[in-house]
Coordinates of all heavy atoms in Angstrom, one line a residue:
L26 N 53.1 -31.7 49.7 CA 53.6 -33.0 49.3 C 53.8 -33.9 50.6 O 53.6 -35.1 50.6 CB 54.9 -32.9 48.6 CG 54.8 -32.3 47.2 CD1 56.2 -32.1 46.6 CD2 54.0 -33.2 46.3
P59 N 38.0 -60.4 34.2 CA 38.5 -61.4 33.3 C 37.8 -61.5 31.9 O 38.4 -61.8 30.9 CB 38.4 -62.7 34.1 CG 37.4 -62.4 35.1 CD 37.5 -61.0 35.4
C65 N 40.1 -54.3 28.1 CA 40.6 -53.4 29.3 C 40.5 -52.0 28.9 O 41.5 -51.2 29.2 CB 42.0 -53.9 29.7 SG 42.0 -55.4 30.7
E66 N 39.5 -51.5 28.3 CA 39.3 -50.2 28.0 C 37.9 -49.6 28.5 O 37.0 -50.4 28.8 CB 39.3 -50.0 26.4 CG 40.6 -50.3 25.8 CD 41.7 -49.3 26.1 OE1 41.3 -48.1 26.5 OE2 42.9 -49.6 25.9
F77 N 31.9 -36.2 33.0 CA 30.9 -35.5 33.8 C 31.6 -35.2 35.1 O 31.4 -34.1 35.7 CB 29.6 -36.2 33.9 CG 28.6 -35.5 34.8 CD1 28.0 -34.4 34.3 CD2 28.3 -35.9 36.0 CE1 27.0 -33.7 35.1 CE2 27.4 -35.3 36.8 CZ 26.7 -34.2 36.3
K88 N 34.2 -23.1 43.2 CA 33.2 -22.5 44.2 C 33.7 -22.5 45.6 O 33.4 -21.7 46.4 CB 31.9 -23.1 44.0 CG 31.1 -22.7 42.8 CD 29.7 -23.3 42.8 CE 28.9 -22.9 41.6 NZ 27.5 -23.4 41.6
G90 N 36.7 -22.2 46.5 CA 37.8 -21.3 46.8 C 39.1 -22.0 47.0 O 39.9 -21.6 47.8
I95 N 46.4 -29.3 47.9 CA 45.6 -30.1 48.9 C 44.2 -29.6 48.9 O 43.2 -30.4 49.1 CB 46.2 -29.8 50.3 CG1 47.6 -30.6 50.4 CG2 45.3 -30.3 51.4 CD1 47.5 -32.1 50.3
F102 N 37.5 -35.1 46.5 CA 37.5 -36.5 47.0 C 36.1 -37.1 47.0 O 35.8 -38.2 46.5 CB 38.1 -36.6 48.4 CG 39.6 -36.7 48.4 CD1 40.3 -36.2 49.5 CD2 40.3 -37.2 47.3 CE1 41.7 -36.3 49.5 CE2 41.7 -37.2 47.3 CZ 42.4 -36.8 48.4
Y124 N 32.9 -51.9 47.2 CA 33.4 -50.5 47.2 C 32.6 -49.6 48.2 O 33.2 -48.8 48.9 CB 33.4 -49.9 45.8 CG 34.1 -48.6 45.7 CD1 35.4 -48.5 45.4 CD2 33.3 -47.4 45.8 CE1 36.0 -47.2 45.4 CE2 33.9 -46.2 45.8 CZ 35.3 -46.1 45.5 OH 35.9 -44.8 45.4
A125 N 31.3 -49.8 48.2 CA 30.5 -49.0 49.1 C 30.8 -49.2 50.6 O 30.9 -48.3 51.4 CB 29.0 -49.3 48.9
M133 N 34.7 -43.5 58.2 CA 34.6 -43.5 59.6 C 35.9 -43.6 60.3 O 36.1 -42.9 61.3 CB 33.7 -44.7 60.1 CG 32.3 -44.6 59.6 SD 31.3 -46.1 59.9 CE 31.5 -46.2 61.7
D162 N 38.1 -4.1 75.9 CA 39.2 -3.1 75.6 C 39.1 -2.7 74.2 O 39.5 -3.4 73.3 CB 40.6 -3.7 75.9 CG 41.7 -2.6 75.9 OD1 41.4 -1.5 75.3 OD2 42.7 -2.8 76.5
L189 N 48.9 -16.7 59.8 CA 48.8 -15.3 59.9 C 48.8 -14.9 61.4 O 49.3 -13.8 61.7 CB 47.5 -14.8 59.2 CG 47.5 -14.9 57.7 CD1 46.1 -14.6 57.2 CD2 48.5 -14.0 57.1
Y193 N 51.3 -12.0 63.0 CA 50.8 -10.6 63.2 C 50.3 -10.3 64.6 O 49.9 -9.2 64.9 CB 49.7 -10.3 62.2 CG 50.2 -10.1 60.8 CD1 50.2 -11.2 59.9 CD2 50.8 -8.9 60.3 CE1 50.7 -11.1 58.6 CE2 51.3 -8.8 59.0 CZ 51.2 -9.9 58.1 OH 51.7 -9.8 56.9
R207 N 28.2 -24.7 65.9 CA 27.9 -25.0 67.3 C 27.2 -23.9 68.0 O 26.4 -24.1 69.0 CB 29.2 -25.4 68.0 CG 29.9 -26.7 67.5 CD 31.1 -27.0 68.3 NE 30.8 -27.3 69.7 CZ 31.7 -27.5 70.7 NH1 33.0 -27.4 70.4 NH2 31.3 -27.8 71.9
R224 N 27.3 -19.5 51.2 CA 28.5 -19.1 50.5 C 29.2 -18.0 51.4 O 30.2 -17.4 50.9 CB 28.1 -18.4 49.2 CG 27.4 -19.4 48.2 CD 27.0 -18.7 46.9 NE 28.1 -18.1 46.2 CZ 28.0 -17.3 45.2 NH1 26.8 -16.9 44.7 NH2 29.1 -16.8 44.6
K236 N 33.8 -2.4 66.8 CA 32.9 -2.4 65.7 C 33.4 -3.0 64.5 O 34.6 -2.9 64.2 CB 32.4 -0.9 65.4 CG 31.7 -0.2 66.6 CD 31.3 1.2 66.3 CE 30.6 1.9 67.4 NZ 30.2 3.3 67.1
T239 N 35.5 -4.2 58.3 CA 35.7 -4.9 57.1 C 35.3 -6.4 57.2 O 35.6 -6.9 58.3 CB 37.2 -4.8 56.6 OG1 37.6 -3.5 56.7 CG2 37.4 -5.4 55.2
L250 N 26.7 -11.7 47.0 CA 28.0 -11.9 47.6 C 29.1 -11.9 46.5 O 28.9 -12.5 45.4 CB 28.0 -13.3 48.3 CG 27.4 -13.3 49.7 CD1 27.4 -14.7 50.2 CD2 28.1 -12.4 50.6
K252 N 32.6 -13.2 45.4 CA 33.5 -14.4 45.7 C 34.8 -13.9 46.2 O 35.4 -13.0 45.7 CB 33.7 -15.3 44.5 CG 34.4 -16.6 44.8 CD 33.7 -17.5 45.8 CE 34.5 -18.7 46.1 NZ 33.8 -19.6 47.1
F254 N 38.7 -15.5 47.5 CA 39.5 -16.6 47.7 C 40.4 -16.4 48.9 O 41.2 -15.4 48.9 CB 40.4 -16.9 46.4 CG 39.6 -17.3 45.3 CD1 39.1 -16.4 44.3 CD2 39.3 -18.6 45.1 CE1 38.3 -16.8 43.2 CE2 38.5 -19.1 44.0 CZ 38.0 -18.1 43.1
E257 N 46.6 -16.6 51.6 CA 47.3 -15.7 52.5 C 47.5 -14.3 51.9 O 47.3 -13.3 52.6 CB 48.7 -16.3 52.8 CG 49.5 -15.6 53.8 CD 50.8 -16.3 54.2 OE1 50.9 -17.5 54.0 OE2 51.7 -15.6 54.6
L266 N 46.9 -6.0 56.3 CA 47.5 -6.5 57.6 C 48.9 -5.9 57.9 O 49.2 -5.7 59.1 CB 47.6 -8.0 57.5 CG 46.4 -8.8 57.8 CD1 46.6 -10.3 57.8 CD2 45.7 -8.4 59.1
N267 N 49.7 -5.7 56.9 CA 51.0 -5.1 57.1 C 50.9 -3.7 57.8 O 51.6 -3.4 58.8 CB 51.9 -5.1 55.9 CG 52.3 -6.5 55.4 OD1 52.6 -7.3 56.2 ND2 52.3 -6.7 54.1
K279 N 48.7 1.0 76.8 CA 49.3 1.6 78.0 C 49.0 0.7 79.2 O 47.8 0.5 79.4 CB 48.9 3.0 78.2 CG 49.3 4.0 77.1 CD 48.8 5.4 77.4 CE 49.3 6.4 76.3 NZ 48.8 7.8 76.5

Side-chain angles (χ1 to χ4, degrees):
L26 291 175
C65 281
E66 294 290 341
F77 180 72
K88 286 186 176 181
I95 290 295
F102 279 152
Y124 185 87
M133 296 171 60
D162 191 341
L189 290 171
Y193 290 95
R207 295 182 63 185
R224 297 178 62 191
K236 297 180 180 180
T239 309
L250 281 177
K252 185 64 181 177
F254 291 95
E257 182 175 339
L266 281 184
N267 289 324
K279 294 180 180 180

